[in-house]
Amino acid sequence: NMKTLLAVLLLAFTLPSMAQGVRINTYAGYVFDDKVDSYYDNSNYYEGTIKGGFQWGAGIEFMVKPNYGVEILYFHSDTKAPMTYFQNGVKFTNFDLGINYIMLGGTRYFSKPGGKVEGFGGLMIGMDAMNLKNPDNGNTGSKTKFAWGVRGGANIWATEKVGLKLQASLLSAVQSAGGGLYFGTGGGGAGISTYSSIYQWGIGGGLVFKIPTAK
């Protein structure tokens, strides 16, 4: 995970020298519920839901070619994770969960010459820093895991410099729910030793701004 972060930071310093243009992107949307579960044995399991909700974010995108951009992104959401688990008997807790994606995305753009609509699609890789709180006892836990994503949509340019972004996406934190977040203990004790990946489908929009660059 530190290697992923260092790679993102290195690109943040090197991309400006490669850029033919710069865009600032803002994001706001809704991510849907995702069921997670893992069963190890009768005394080591959990099942529940990462609840959907509002997600916001921002990114700086360097246009390394006229139709290809590389973007450093951040997405955040605060949600609930109602879980049934075994800890000295079957228990239920509605955990507080904060999700932070730090991603590097490559985006391919498609548009007709002179058109105001610009379609796009792309891939993202990075990491997800998750913070969990057990409201029943105040215990907290955190974990950082590898993450990936895909997205597609369109930019609708109102002017030459400002556009409306419409987007559908999937973000996934790999093997992040479970022992690493200590469902069942909220950060104390051994926790649960099995894991489950999180998949968050989302739809939303935002604004995109073209920033003039000196040559």
Side-chain angles (χ1 to χ4, degrees):
N1 295 321
M2 281 301 298
K3 290 181 179 179
T4 302
L5 179 58
L6 290 173
V8 171
L9 292 175
L10 179 61
L11 282 169
F13 285 104
T14 59
L15 281 172
S17 64
M18 303 167 55
Q20 301 177 14
V22 176
R23 298 180 180 186
I24 301 296
N25 298 301
T26 63
Y27 301 93
Y30 183 87
V31 292
F32 296 94
D33 291 1
D34 178 45
K35 292 184 178 180
V36 293
D37 61 81
S38 191
Y39 181 86
Y40 185 74
D41 58 35
N42 288 334
S43 60
N44 197 355
Y45 68 86
Y46 69 90
E47 59 181 0
T49 302
I50 306 296
K51 300 296 289 184
F54 177 70
Q55 182 186 72
W56 60 267
I60 179 169
E61 184 174 15
F62 301 94
M63 302 302 295
V64 295
K65 293 182 179 180
N67 59 355
Y68 189 82
V70 178
E71 185 178 5
I72 300 170
L73 306 99
Y74 172 77
F75 297 108
H76 176 81
S77 60
D78 290 306
T79 187
K80 296 287 188 177
M83 295 285 164
T84 299
Y85 54 92
F86 188 96
Q87 181 189 322
N88 300 319
V90 177
K91 294 185 178 181
F92 173 84
T93 300
N94 193 12
F95 293 96
D96 298 318
L97 182 62
I99 302 176
N100 302 277
Y101 290 99
I102 301 172
M103 308 293 284
L104 182 70
T107 304
R108 177 74 164 84
Y109 291 95
F110 310 88
S111 62
K112 294 181 178 180
K116 292 188 176 181
V117 178
E118 180 183 52
F120 65 83
L123 302 174
M124 298 173 282
I125 59 170
M127 60 185 186
D128 181 16
M130 308 180 72
N131 302 303
L132 186 82
K133 181 178 180 179
N134 185 335
D136 297 339
N137 55 26
N139 288 341
T140 60
S142 62
K143 196 70 175 179
T144 301
K145 286 288 187 175
F146 174 77
W148 62 272
V150 295
R151 60 178 174 170
N155 293 329
I156 303 171
W157 293 99
T159 71
E160 291 185 358
K161 303 296 184 184
V162 180
L164 174 66
K165 182 183 294 290
L166 302 176
Q167 176 175 289
S169 65
L170 167 64
L171 289 168
S172 177
V174 178
Q175 296 293 294
S176 58
L181 287 179
Y182 297 103
F183 287 138
T185 63
I192 292 173
S193 60
T194 55
Y195 297 83
S196 177
S197 296
I198 294 173
Y199 297 93
Q200 292 190 295
W201 292 94
I203 56 173
L207 295 175
V208 51
F209 303 92
K210 290 182 179 178
I211 307 299
T213 55
K215 296 294 184 183

